[in-house]
Amino acid sequence: MPSTSGRVVKMEVRIELKPGVLDAEAESVEKSLSLLGLATVPKVGTARIYDLEFRGVSATEAKRLSQEAIDRLLANPVIHRVTLRPAPT
Amino acid sequence: MPSTSGRVVKMEVRIELKPGVLDAEAESVEKSLSLLGLATVPKVGTARIYDLEFRGVSATEAKRLSQEAIDRLLANPVIHRVTLRPAPT
């Protein structure tokens, strides 16, 4: 059985608001860019990223622990859409 | 000259705190995961994502406008590290 003691596994949790849920920060950014006179104002969306760096656990266990962190702390399933993936290198 | 009127260009702005700047939210998440009894508590980092969707501009212009939005509104160069890239599809 391979040792996992020194190994680092990085997972990325991306949390967005579900479509239909008001993204107040995004609206505020659009309004501000418009007031600043930006030549073309983009449609804005926001997301929160949590980078989770596990040490000494397998990739499978890191994924399970990340999902537990999402379910118990990071996300609200009523309003949030969550994407969990290995962190891009 | 090709028309850009219907074209959509998506840029992704990722804003993190520079190394050495206290990430209070990340620390709070680590502490909460520990209090919740997560078997292995990861090192946590956070980032804010702004997805900018431009319509009717070229990729070059979208990049320039995104940089202007970063400089004038989204980021504070004293504390933030910013990554600007075309949004992954």
Side-chain angles (χ1 to χ4, degrees):
Chain A
M1 193 174 161
S3 163
T4 55
S5 60
R7 183 181 175 181
V8 171
V9 183
K10 296 184 182 180
M11 301 295 295
E12 183 190 276
V13 180
R14 181 185 168 113
I15 299 183
E16 294 161 284
L17 289 167
K18 283 183 179 171
V21 179
L22 176 69
D23 188 340
E25 186 182 356
E27 292 207 354
S28 168
V29 169
E30 287 177 8
K31 192 171 178 183
S32 298
L33 291 176
S34 177
L35 290 170
L36 285 170
L38 203 73
T40 303
V41 175
K43 186 169 177 305
V44 178
T46 69
R48 191 93 193 121
I49 299 283
Y50 296 96
D51 285 311
L52 308 181
E53 189 178 312
F54 293 92
R55 197 169 286 272
V57 302
S58 68
T60 308
E61 178 68 359
K63 192 177 173 187
R64 194 194 67 71
L65 289 163
S66 299
Q67 191 59 56
E68 188 181 344
I70 291 165
D71 295 340
R72 298 183 65 194
L73 180 69
L74 299 176
N76 175 349
V78 177
I79 57 169
H80 289 144
R81 179 167 63 183
V82 181
T83 315
L84 173 62
R85 60 169 184 166
T89 46
Chain B
M1 194 173 158
S3 163
T4 55
S5 60
R7 184 179 174 183
V8 171
V9 183
K10 296 184 184 180
M11 301 294 295
E12 182 189 276
V13 179
R14 180 184 170 114
I15 298 182
E16 297 162 284
L17 289 168
K18 284 183 178 172
V21 180
L22 177 69
D23 189 340
E25 185 181 357
E27 292 206 354
S28 168
V29 169
E30 288 177 9
K31 191 170 177 183
S32 298
L33 291 175
S34 177
L35 289 170
L36 285 169
L38 203 73
T40 303
V41 175
K43 188 171 175 306
V44 178
T46 69
R48 191 93 193 123
I49 299 284
Y50 296 97
D51 285 312
L52 308 181
E53 189 178 310
F54 293 91
R55 197 170 286 272
V57 302
S58 67
T60 308
E61 178 67 357
K63 191 177 173 187
R64 195 194 64 73
L65 289 163
S66 299
Q67 190 61 55
E68 188 180 343
I70 291 165
D71 295 340
R72 297 183 66 194
L73 180 69
L74 299 175
N76 175 349
V78 177
I79 58 169
H80 289 143
R81 180 168 61 185
V82 181
T83 314
L84 172 63
R85 60 168 185 168
T89 49

